[in-house]
Amino acid sequence: MGFNCGIVGLPNVGKSTLFNALTATATAQAANYPFCTIEPNVGRVAVPDPRLDKLVAIGKSQREVPTSLEFVDIAGLVRGASRGEGLGNQFLANIREVDAIIHVLRCFEDDDITHVEGGVDPVRDAEIIETELMLADLDSLEKRLPALEKRACNRDAEAMAQIEIMEPILAALRDGRPARTAVPAGAEETVRRLQLMTSKPVLYVCNVDEDSAATGNAFSEKVKAKAAAEGAAVVIVSAAIEAEVSQLENEERREFLEGLGLNDSGLDRVIAAGYKLLGLSTYFTVGPKEARAWTITVGTKAPQAAAVIHNDFERGFIACETIAFDDYVRYNGEAGAKEAGRLRVEGRDYVVQDGDVLLFRFNV
Ligand SMILES: Nc1nc2c(ncn2[C@@H]2O[C@H](COP(=O)(O)OP(=O)(O)OP(=O)(O)O)[C@@H](O)[C@H]2O)c(=O)[nH]1
Ligand SMILES: [Mg+2]
């Protein structure tokens, strides 16, 4: 599925280091050199889900297939990007295409790593990027407006509706507020098609020094305060540690993390937060061959959820046998859940719930 998170921020804040760790590949070069990432790098990452480990054990499946999420490593933006500074236009185009934004903020001091703004100040950095994105959004809306207004003069209903949606967004942008704060209720889909960068959901990732990975530091506290005011989520990671963790196998990894006082890898937290940011939810299928996780958007009905596996499942949808994850575990699998009356047969209006274990009945 086409859901992805773009990794955005100033140059040299650790975006590629994080991306590399996420994808555990060396495709995106990490180097102390602004603009070392020129082409956007795309990577698919397995979504860690402890529930799947339980299902594979109970269902005695041969293998476990997690679902995945796509990340795009985008080159650093600088002040003036909306006016074309530092290859700005090209990078902004990369951001327009993603579904959600992971905004990496430098919260570590290191005199050897150049900071394009001179010193560490993540809130200022966040504002610089946000301002550039707002200016670019404003510019793109203002460019669309004259043609729409012309059509509206001729009583073109579609153009009139479009303008009505755009007006509060334009007002917000002119006022220095991101588009996401002014989306009229019910207009989400129309706004999504406008590809405004500041209408996309955003997650702040604070890249802290190694010693602050477990606790955060004074810089990340400031980001937290900003995020809280906006209702945005924050994840604290040390990209440098994550780069090391990504090279380790399971047992080694656990020991390494424990030694640092961490319960889980920051990457897992970034992936989980990205998944949530995109409004995604997971259902499972369990059989002797595999236990597998599938991604849908929250609110998806059973036939469309089935289409994620195969279009025929949607086309010939009859019903889906449904067991909630907790019931599947409590009654030790399908047979037990059925006996306990916890297997439901749901129809085409059923809204699939996160964690549902499903078996589709279909006929084509
Ligand atoms: N000390 C320290 N250095 C880091 C950390 N994260 C990244 N770096 C270093 O900072 C430099 C830049 O990191 P990159 O990941 O390439 O930065 P970027 O944000 O992708 O930069 P551009 O692609 O140029 O925009 C590299 O030398 C990294 O090793 C960190 O957590 N601590
Ligand atoms: Mg980079």
Side-chain angles (χ1 to χ4, degrees):
M1 284 214 296
F3 296 109
N4 59 17
C5 295
I7 304 177
V8 171
L10 288 178
N12 264 1
V13 296
K15 299 182 298 296
S16 297
T17 308
L18 181 72
F19 175 83
N20 282 344
L22 278 168
T23 56
T25 64
T27 45
Q29 293 174 27
N32 181 20
Y33 173 43
F35 305 125
C36 80
T37 313
I38 302 297
E39 287 297 320
N41 291 281
V42 182
R44 288 201 78 79
V45 173
V47 178
D49 192 331
R51 293 176 299 184
L52 195 55
D53 301 335
K54 287 195 178 163
L55 294 177
V56 81
I58 295 171
K60 299 188 177 63
S61 317
Q62 274 170 28
R63 58 174 195 149
E64 172 173 336
V65 185
T67 184
S68 64
L69 190 60
E70 198 173 285
F71 286 90
V72 186
D73 180 24
I74 298 171
L77 289 179
V78 291
R79 208 187 271 279
S82 59
R83 298 191 310 271
E85 293 287 329
L87 300 180
N89 289 330
Q90 186 188 328
F91 302 161
L92 291 171
N94 298 147
I95 303 176
R96 281 198 185 91
E97 285 162 12
V98 299
D99 299 307
I101 289 176
I102 295 192
H103 192 154
V104 180
L105 295 166
R106 175 160 163 180
C107 297
F108 67 88
E109 311 235 33
D110 186 337
D111 292 339
D112 293 334
I113 314 284
T114 315
H115 194 301
V116 286
E117 288 289 324
V120 179
D121 183 346
V123 171
R124 173 205 59 203
D125 293 355
E127 283 165 2
I128 290 173
I129 296 285
E130 195 160 74
T131 301
E132 294 305 327
L133 301 185
M134 286 190 292
L135 288 172
D137 281 351
L138 185 58
D139 188 51
S140 95
L141 285 188
E142 283 178 341
K143 277 193 182 128
R144 285 165 199 255
L145 208 52
L148 283 171
E149 278 172 342
K150 213 165 161 185
R151 282 168 53 199
C153 273
N154 297 325
R155 321 289 313 154
D156 178 321
E158 197 195 322
M160 283 156 73
Q162 188 99 347
I163 290 173
E164 206 173 299
I165 290 170
M166 278 163 59
E167 262 165 1
I169 298 177
L170 273 164
L173 289 168
R174 285 182 183 132
D175 197 33
R177 284 178 293 118
R180 75 180 73 84
T181 62
V183 177
E188 292 79 7
E189 186 50 33
T190 313
V191 173
R192 203 181 57 74
R193 282 200 300 272
L194 293 172
Q195 289 199 308
L196 299 174
M197 294 176 284
T198 64
S199 73
K200 298 178 197 289
V202 64
L203 162 75
Y204 295 108
V205 170
C206 297
N207 184 13
V208 298
D209 51 284
E210 274 124 308
D211 294 336
S212 308
T215 52
N217 60 20
F219 296 125
S220 63
E221 283 305 312
K222 288 195 180 133
V223 176
K224 272 190 178 169
K226 171 181 164 62
E230 296 168 7
V234 181
V235 175
I236 294 168
V237 302
S238 161
I241 289 180
E242 298 308 327
E244 284 182 54
V245 171
S246 68
Q247 304 299 319
L248 301 175
E249 299 291 331
N250 289 339
E251 195 52 25
E252 267 184 319
R253 174 182 298 212
R254 210 177 46 75
E255 281 171 20
F256 181 82
L257 289 171
E258 267 176 12
L260 293 163
L262 297 166
N263 300 324
D264 53 2
S265 105
L267 295 183
D268 290 359
R269 276 178 284 130
V270 171
I271 298 167
Y275 203 69
K276 201 170 155 205
L277 192 65
L278 287 164
L280 301 178
S281 130
T282 302
Y283 73 86
F284 301 101
T285 53
V286 185
K289 243 174 64 193
E290 60 185 33
R292 185 160 181 163
W294 304 89
T295 296
I296 52 173
T297 46
V298 171
T300 301
K301 291 186 177 171
Q304 288 71 47
V308 176
I309 302 180
H310 200 291
N311 285 332
D312 283 353
F313 283 24
E314 180 179 14
R315 206 155 49 86
F317 181 90
I318 298 169
C320 72
E321 296 179 9
T322 309
I323 304 169
F325 173 79
D326 288 342
D327 287 335
Y328 194 93
V329 173
R330 185 173 308 131
Y331 299 108
N332 200 34
E334 191 185 317
K338 192 170 184 175
E339 213 164 284
R342 305 303 295 172
L343 185 152
R344 289 168 278 133
V345 177
E346 300 283 1
R348 44 180 59 251
D349 284 331
Y350 177 64
V351 175
V352 174
Q353 300 297 303
D354 189 58
D356 277 353
V357 180
L358 301 181
L359 180 70
F360 294 105
R361 289 192 203 148
F362 70 106
N363 183 14
V364 285

